[in-house]
Amino acid sequence: MERNVLNTLVFSVFVVLFFTSISSSASSQYQTLVVNTLPSSATLSWPESKSFSDESVSESTTSLSVHLSHVDALSSFSDASPVDLFKLRLQRDSLRVKSITSLAAVSTGRNATKRTPRSAGGFSGAVISGLSQGSGEYFMRLGVGTPATNVYMVLDTGSDVVWLQCSPCKACYNQSDVIFDPKKSKTFATVPCGSRLCRRLDDSSECVTRRSKTCLYQVSYGDGSFTEGDFSTETLTFHGARVDHVPLGCGHDNEGLFVGAAGLLGLGRGGLSFPSQTKSRYNGKFSYCLVDRTSSGSSSKPPSTIVFGNDAVPKTSVFTPLLTNPKLDTFYYLQLLGISVGGSRVPGVSESQFKLDATGNGGVIIDSGTSVTRLTQSAYVALRDAFRLGATKLKRAPSYSLFDTCFDLSGMTTVKVPTVVFHFGGGEVSLPASNYLIPVNTEGRFCFAFAGTMGSLSIIGNIQQQGFRVAYDLVGSRVGFLSRAC
């Protein structure tokens, strides 16, 4: 009798474990995508412009929280439909990738084009996401000078030098705010030629060739855009925090795809970037959390944010070490070991395809300004084929722009899609379904948001980063990911 009871108990436990295992396996293979198409009309509005006065700021603020909003209304395309804005975003994305790969090529000597690099408290600020911008996807409101001139600046982890348009202009593009006039600021100071700070620019020979007493900077981008002017120091004011003596470019000649924002806040890994320059105050730590690209930061959705200081790096993040490119210090290189689809490692995707070699070729970078993740062609084809194999129950649709794997989800409210997981050195990052199967129109066409590149450099874009707090720890030489942390 006791033996029969024991056998029954053992059998019951086995059945429970068996079906639990099946359920767990199934959950690692598929997840639910909520089918939300692009809206048929614009739903985003420009936020109230914040002002930053000297009376409301502190030089030793330890934390700060600011609500964020969408930036679509900043550009001349603000009346365009969401579908048109998405097309523009993909066009900009191609130029962005071209710019990054061009810079990487220059650093390894494969392109002879001359360039100058773009070069315990904390604070956080408003990050504004825009489909319609010509210069970048995410923007921040801040004050420049004393008294502060309030402007919007592009956030860019792929650049180092902080710069903005200054009057008088030899050539300036249209921006949404008044152009900064250094003569009206009590804290503006030019950097002299021959100074230590001037020599930190890659090419300070302009001082000699132009016989200038003021240090001159020039930043050129791969898409043909450029900015040049006086290298200087100035006070930047964020909501609740003032940072003095920030090295920045005061651009008098600025041409290219910079419509809307006043300039750029370089967040790269190089010595002239904002995180590097403020390392003694913010410990070389910052993080951002980007909500989906159609969010306006309404009460129903959390806003995008950027945080500087110790609070920027959550201890529960999945961390992966930063790799160093001996030829280029701007980009954040990560160790990508492989990718899983539907709970299984993709055989054709391996660490060797993402290796950063001794000459600076190859590798994987994470970038705030690139939208769509680019993988080396062989890795992309293997990933795409694995996803197609796991999504055979979904109705295929024609290709769209750079996307060659699309589906017709019209009439559906939810669908099951294969899971996608990045395997980094140090941990795994599982992507939400909405970070890799995205709407491209109002009729229900969704596309696999990855693309291949014929070059050796792979880029993890901001669509795949959405909803994660992505933490950069320059002192600890690591990057962290924490899901659902906006």
Side-chain angles (χ1 to χ4, degrees), residues 205-278:
S205 61
E206 294 287 341
C207 289
V208 178
T209 57
R210 297 190 185 185
R211 297 179 181 178
S212 172
K213 293 182 180 180
T214 299
C215 184
L216 304 175
Y217 83 97
Q218 182 183 37
V219 178
S220 300
Y221 299 87
D223 58 11
S225 304
F226 69 88
T227 174
E228 61 181 39
D230 301 325
F231 200 48
S232 55
T233 61
E234 183 56 289
T235 294
L236 298 184
T237 307
F238 303 85
H239 185 66
R242 184 172 71 244
V243 184
D244 296 321
H245 309 297
V246 177
L248 54 80
C250 191
H252 299 289
D253 190 357
N254 317 281
E255 300 178 33
L257 301 176
F258 302 122
V259 176
L264 183 145
L265 190 71
L267 299 176
R269 202 178 176 188
L272 287 174
S273 73
F274 184 76
S276 295
Q277 292 290 346
T278 58

Side-chain angles (χ1 to χ4, degrees), residues 133-466:
Q133 302 317 305
S135 52
E137 302 302 319
Y138 295 92
F139 293 71
M140 186 179 203
R141 186 74 168 167
L142 54 83
V144 180
T146 308
T149 298
N150 303 301
V151 297
Y152 289 98
M153 300 276 277
V154 177
L155 300 179
D156 189 4
T157 57
S159 301
D160 289 331
V161 174
V162 180
W163 65 266
L164 78 160
Q165 296 198 111
C166 292
S167 63
C169 286
K170 176 182 177 182
C172 284
Y173 56 85
N174 292 327
Q175 66 178 59
S176 61
D177 296 295
V178 175
I179 292 177
F180 174 67
D181 185 352
K183 293 181 180 178
K184 296 181 179 180
S185 173
K186 295 183 292 185
T187 49
F188 179 85
T190 57
V191 174
C193 272
S195 65
R196 183 179 179 182
L197 185 55
C198 185
R199 290 196 300 269
R200 294 179 68 178
L201 291 170
D202 262 15
D203 187 1
S204 57
S205 61
E206 294 287 341
C207 289
V208 178
T209 57
R210 297 190 185 185
R211 297 179 181 178
S212 172
K213 293 182 180 180
T214 299
C215 184
L216 304 175
Y217 83 97
Q218 182 183 37
V219 178
S220 300
Y221 299 87
D223 58 11
S225 304
F226 69 88
T227 174
E228 61 181 39
D230 301 325
F231 200 48
S232 55
T233 61
E234 183 56 289
T235 294
L236 298 184
T237 307
F238 303 85
H239 185 66
R242 184 172 71 244
V243 184
D244 296 321
H245 309 297
V246 177
L248 54 80
C250 191
H252 299 289
D253 190 357
N254 317 281
E255 300 178 33
L257 301 176
F258 302 122
V259 176
L264 183 145
L265 190 71
L267 299 176
R269 202 178 176 188
L272 287 174
S273 73
F274 184 76
S276 295
Q277 292 290 346
T278 58
K279 190 176 293 184
S280 61
R281 180 171 176 178
Y282 300 119
N283 298 318
K285 296 177 181 179
F286 73 94
S287 67
Y288 54 71
C289 199
L290 309 176
V291 299
D292 74 78
R293 62 196 184 284
T294 58
S295 172
S296 59
S298 64
S299 57
S300 62
K301 291 183 179 181
S304 298
T305 57
I306 185 167
V307 180
F308 290 85
N310 289 333
D311 291 343
V313 183
K315 295 180 180 178
T316 54
S317 302
V318 174
F319 291 103
T320 182
L322 282 169
L323 304 181
T324 300
N325 185 337
K327 303 293 185 180
L328 182 64
D329 59 4
T330 298
F331 297 144
Y332 293 92
Y333 285 85
L334 305 181
Q335 183 184 25
L336 183 59
L337 304 178
I339 303 176
S340 288
V341 171
S344 300
R345 292 285 281 263
V346 179
V349 179
S350 64
E351 182 182 6
S352 62
Q353 294 162 304
F354 309 117
K355 186 176 179 58
L356 174 64
D357 66 26
T359 65
N361 287 315
V364 178
I365 67 170
I366 183 168
D367 182 47
S368 65
T370 300
S371 292
V372 179
T373 290
R374 304 304 208 280
L375 301 175
T376 56
Q377 188 65 18
S378 60
Y380 168 70
V381 170
L383 173 66
R384 176 202 66 190
D385 291 348
F387 188 83
R388 286 178 176 177
L389 187 62
T392 54
K393 293 183 179 180
L394 300 181
K395 182 181 178 182
R396 290 290 298 273
S399 301
Y400 182 93
S401 184
L402 77 167
F403 302 127
D404 62 8
T405 300
C406 300
F407 303 91
D408 180 3
L409 305 185
S410 57
M412 300 181 180
T413 55
T414 61
V415 294
K416 291 290 185 180
V417 298
T419 56
V420 175
V421 177
F422 286 140
H423 298 276
F424 293 107
E428 300 176 352
V429 175
S430 181
L431 301 180
S434 57
N435 284 27
Y436 55 86
L437 201 58
I438 64 171
V440 298
N441 63 16
T442 60
E443 286 79 41
R445 189 189 305 184
F446 281 67
C447 296
F448 190 52
F450 289 83
T453 174
M454 299 310 295
S456 60
L457 179 68
S458 295
I459 307 171
I460 296 175
N462 58 51
I463 290 177
Q464 281 65 44
Q465 299 174 50
Q466 287 172 181

Side-chain angles (χ1 to χ4, degrees), residues 85-95 131 137 371-372 374 400-403 438 440 463:
L85 293 179
F86 184 65
K87 291 178 181 178
L88 289 170
R89 186 187 194 190
L90 295 181
Q91 291 173 10
R92 288 194 316 276
D93 204 46
S94 295
L95 293 173
L131 295 175
E137 302 302 319
S371 292
V372 179
R374 304 304 208 280
Y400 182 93
S401 184
L402 77 167
F403 302 127
I438 64 171
V440 298
I463 290 177

